Amino acid sequence: GQNIDQPTEMTATEGAIVQINCTYQTSGFNGLFWYQQHAGEAPTFLSYNVLDGLEEKGRFSSFLSRSKGYSYLLLKELQMKDSASYLCAVSDSNYQLIWGAGTKLIIKP
Amino acid sequence: GAVVSQHPSRVICKSGTSVKIECRSLDFQATTMFWYRQFPKQSLMLMATSNEGSKATYEQGVEKDKFLINHASLTLSTLTVTSAHPEDSSFYICSATGTGGSSPLHFGNGTRLTVT
């Protein structure tokens, strides 16, 4: 079957760096997405990786290793507003999105 | 950037009535639109996928006669919750994508439905 795994919850300190991991097993691969979702709101797009390597976008970076079925989202200089759930999703061979359950990130002052 | 507008953002209705939720892509043609529901503290659950001009494809366990989806144009999809019951109370989110598998999903702001 198809499966996306990411930690349920993580805690980090304001100003620090946190890495949220995502591993996947899917039938085919057409890219991996990261979304941020604040409580009670719809998800917003953060990043897309389809080739191996690191994509940097401001304080957020996303890494992909297709051979390992692995990605991570790296958040630097954490701010309180970064407290949210982070969703990993993989586009499979049919371009259907397979969603992880999300990682709730708690930022402490 | 791409914008998806979802309306209404919040609705309260009585049990047995029907509610229509609209999802519009404002600056791109949405060949495919998705409807999700999300219960508190849970992940997104895909309800159905709709392609413009064709019938929606429903996920297992989702009643197509209860959740009517219409995708009449490349910019508009609607979800109608028919004969709503309190257990249908949830956060409903639409999303849309353009052509190509690498197009990210753009989400509407969601509709919080409360059935009393």
Side-chain angles (χ1 to χ4, degrees):
Chain A
Q2 310 206 91
N3 195 51
I4 309 278
D5 283 317
Q6 48 181 131
T8 304
E9 187 174 296
M10 298 182 71
T11 303
T13 305
E14 190 177 15
I17 299 172
V18 71
Q19 177 175 309
I20 303 174
N21 296 325
C22 171
T23 57
Y24 62 91
Q25 291 176 309
T26 56
S27 55
F29 179 83
N30 279 302
L32 185 145
F33 299 85
W34 282 97
Y35 287 85
Q36 179 192 61
Q37 186 179 24
H38 286 100
E41 298 180 12
T44 55
F45 171 74
L46 290 179
S47 67
Y48 170 71
N49 294 70
V50 67
L51 299 177
D52 290 349
L54 186 68
E55 295 276 345
E56 296 186 76
K57 194 184 292 185
R59 294 189 298 115
F60 293 6
S61 302
S62 57
F63 171 84
L64 174 68
S65 169
R66 288 171 296 171
S67 62
K68 295 181 180 178
Y70 167 71
S71 171
Y72 66 73
L73 180 69
L74 191 71
L75 292 76
K76 302 177 184 177
E77 301 168 19
L78 286 170
Q79 302 174 9
M80 297 303 292
K81 67 178 182 180
D82 297 329
S83 292
S85 286
Y86 291 85
L87 304 169
C88 171
V90 172
S91 179
D92 70 7
S93 57
N94 294 318
Y95 295 100
Q96 181 171 358
L97 272 188
I98 313 300
W99 291 89
T103 298
K104 182 179 180 181
L105 178 63
I106 299 169
I107 309 296
K108 294 185 174 180
Chain B
V3 177
V4 174
S5 173
Q6 185 173 341
H7 178 80
S9 58
R10 196 176 287 268
V11 60
I12 301 172
C13 70
K14 290 187 176 181
S15 187
T17 60
S18 295
V19 174
K20 181 185 282 189
I21 303 170
E22 289 189 350
C23 181
R24 293 179 185 274
S25 58
L26 297 185
D27 55 358
F28 67 101
Q29 292 186 326
T31 51
T32 306
M33 286 187 169
F34 304 87
W35 287 95
Y36 297 85
R37 65 189 297 181
Q38 186 176 36
F39 292 105
K41 299 182 180 180
Q42 294 187 24
S43 185
L44 294 170
M45 187 182 77
L46 180 64
M47 298 175 67
T49 302
S50 74
N51 293 296
E52 183 264 339
S54 61
K55 289 184 178 180
T57 302
Y58 290 81
E59 296 299 303
Q60 194 172 10
V62 179
E63 300 174 59
K64 62 180 181 181
D65 294 330
K66 179 170 184 63
F67 298 99
L68 301 177
I69 292 172
N70 185 288
H71 192 163
S73 76
L74 283 170
T75 59
L76 174 65
S77 176
T78 60
L79 167 68
T80 302
V81 183
T82 62
S83 186
H85 289 100
E87 56 266 30
D88 298 325
S89 297
S90 186
F91 192 49
Y92 292 87
I93 307 172
C94 75
S95 66
T97 185
T99 56
S102 64
S103 297
L105 279 181
H106 300 283
F107 288 88
N109 288 331
T111 298
R112 184 158 303 283
L113 171 63
T114 303
V115 185
T116 60

